[in-house]
Amino acid sequence: MSGAIGAMRADAAKLLSEGAVKLVLGYCVRGNERYPCFISEAAQAEALDFDQSCRQNLAAYLRKPEVRGRAPLAVVSSPAVCRSLLVLSSESQIRENEVRALAIGPKGYGGILGLGALGAWLKADYPDLVPEQALLDRVAELSAKTAQERAKFWMKEFEKCTRCYACRAACPGCYCERCIVEKNMPQWISSAAAGHGNYAWEVIRAFHQAGRCTGCGACEAACPQGLPLMLLNARLSQDAFEEFGSRPGYELEAKPLIGSWSAEDDGSFIR
Amino acid sequence: MTFEPRITAFVCNWCTYAGADLTGTSRLSYAPNIRIVKLPCTGRIDPLFVLKAFEGGADAVLISGCHPGDCHYASGNYHARRRWSLFRKLLAFTGIDENRVFFSWVSAAEGQKFANLVNKVTEQVRAAGPFGERNLARRRL
Ligand code: SF4
Ligand code: SF4
């Protein structure tokens, strides 16, 4: 890994000194933790680091006007972040000439990749980025319970939510300038941090990521209340994959899962 | 007091609403447990509508529109089918299972099918019992 990090730092410095990018989004070390950092000078590239604890999804910054205004930029990109970049690209949120990835993962450093090259890197080294088995086991365990037991489980979890929306801020897929949860004419989702408003918020937040979630885990990592958001995300991703073969973030251009259809879609649940 | 289910039905204007109309004009009677909300198309039914119905007191929700290939807007029902296929599983995962959310295709010519559908759904919800005022999805008074 240290060779990979050295190569990544060198590439970041090169891009900045050549003026190919104005900003590099990466992670740096503070104490025992790794934090997101923005660097704009080649000399700062030495501070960049990366390991498996880097769970913040840097692609989430790309939707902010103050960050995008500094394009072209480079993003230190784990496989999950690469997938998020491709999702954003397929949804016309970022353009090829705005963003470059410094692709890095457990299998090493992939170099400076344009959006068009990410798919090939992912498919070669990380073709099956599915939710990890331990998570799927928890999903299966909960799915096997009765509806009442599941309702009870989620009621306990959802009641903890304080509606801070850190999960939304952390997710690259949540880029609407005005979120449905903040609309009040009419108000679809109660903004009180309790009861039915929490239920609607949690279910709708998860559902709006259907076929778009890349499983990066940033939402759950950001939640100060420790809600198991990845259970919802993983369940949806699993259903979307099994039913529709959905694998978001592997192609530069892809039809949105919700928003497209096929005459062959399963209709067995319809009477 | 016996439990009388309250069922909110979201139906499309062109097929199921017309089918329900035919049920009436044919003088077929069916369970009076249903409240119909007419929308232009099943494609217009946002998942939030379903949550609102449960929030406001429904014991179950029925969604019905045109058969595949018959959508007045060509593909609204196909869009809806894909959306519901995933959304109903997410609802079930959070505790609102298949005894609470029903889907059907009813054409403008199927008055009898509509009557049978409402009767069957009402029976199933009656057997399942009330939605539960303590369910988190329900607005607490
Ligand atoms: S929903 Fe969570 S896991 Fe999925 S892409 Fe957004 S932040 Fe990542
Ligand atoms: S981060 Fe956690 S507490 Fe905050 S809104 Fe999201 S689920 Fe609720």
Side-chain angles (χ1 to χ4, degrees), chain A residues 139 142-143 147 150-151 154-155 158-159 180 187-189 195-196 199-200 203-204 206-207 231-232 235-236 239-240 243-244 257-267 269-271, chain B residues 46-49 51-52 55 74-75 78-79 81-97 102-105 113 117 120-121 124 134-140:
Chain A
V139 171
L142 188 55
S143 302
R150 287 196 298 271
W154 285 113
M155 197 179 299
F158 290 166
E159 261 168 0
I180 182 74
Q187 185 180 58
W188 281 102
I189 301 177
H196 64 280
Y199 179 82
V203 169
I204 294 297
F207 192 64
L231 287 177
L232 295 169
R235 176 69 217 244
L236 249 175
D239 289 337
E243 257 191 78
F244 305 110
L257 176 70
I258 305 280
S260 59
W261 55 273
S262 156
E264 268 71 59
D265 285 350
D266 174 41
F269 64 96
I270 303 172
R271 300 174 176 221
Chain B
D46 194 293
L48 285 162
F49 296 4
L51 298 186
K52 267 283 182 247
E55 201 179 296
S75 60
Y78 288 124
H79 279 286
R81 179 168 68 182
R82 182 167 280 201
R83 191 182 308 149
W84 299 118
S85 179
L86 291 172
F87 190 64
R88 73 193 181 94
K89 289 184 179 164
L90 183 61
L91 282 184
F93 190 57
T94 59
I96 300 180
D97 68 359
F102 300 85
F103 302 86
S104 181
W105 306 131
K113 179 175 177 182
L117 173 73
K120 276 203 196 127
V121 165
Q124 190 170 336
R134 290 180 53 75
N135 190 300
L136 195 63
R138 193 70 110 209
R139 184 188 299 124
R140 240 73 59 89

Side-chain angles (χ1 to χ4, degrees), chain B residues 11-50:
Chain B
V11 307
C12 79
N13 180 34
W14 303 99
C15 293
T16 302
Y17 195 81
D21 229 11
L22 180 65
T23 316
T25 49
S26 312
R27 301 195 167 266
L28 298 167
S29 61
Y30 58 88
N33 300 63
I34 192 160
R35 277 67 164 166
I36 295 183
V37 180
K38 179 172 80 167
L39 291 144
C41 178
T42 39
R44 173 65 183 91
I45 304 170
D46 194 293
L48 285 162
F49 296 4
V50 176

Side-chain angles (χ1 to χ4, degrees), chain A residues 171-172 205 209 213-219 230 233:
Chain A
C171 176
R205 185 208 64 79
Q209 300 304 324
C213 173
T214 59
C216 69
C219 51
M230 290 309 287
N233 297 335

Side-chain angles (χ1 to χ4, degrees), chain A residues 43-144:
Chain A
Q44 299 168 315
E46 279 309 300
L48 291 175
D49 207 349
F50 181 83
D51 70 12
Q52 289 314 300
S53 71
C54 298
R55 278 184 87 193
Q56 274 212 28
N57 191 326
L58 299 178
Y61 288 108
L62 295 180
R63 67 177 207 261
K64 299 190 192 303
E66 60 272 33
V67 176
R68 291 189 63 170
R70 297 180 68 182
L73 41 82
V75 184
V76 174
S77 304
S78 67
V81 173
C82 289
R83 287 180 67 190
S84 294
L85 292 176
L86 286 177
V87 169
L88 288 174
S89 149
S90 72
E91 295 177 354
S92 309
Q93 297 301 312
I94 54 174
R95 279 191 295 268
E96 175 84 49
N97 56 1
E98 288 179 329
V99 184
R100 239 159 292 178
L102 301 169
I104 190 163
K107 293 192 186 158
Y109 179 58
I112 306 169
L113 301 180
L115 296 179
L118 287 181
W121 182 69
L122 284 169
K123 282 180 208 161
D125 281 355
Y126 308 95
D128 310 301
L129 276 189
V130 289
E132 46 195 68
Q133 196 53 46
L135 179 58
L136 290 179
D137 290 346
R138 284 167 64 210
V139 171
E141 195 189 318
L142 188 55
S143 302

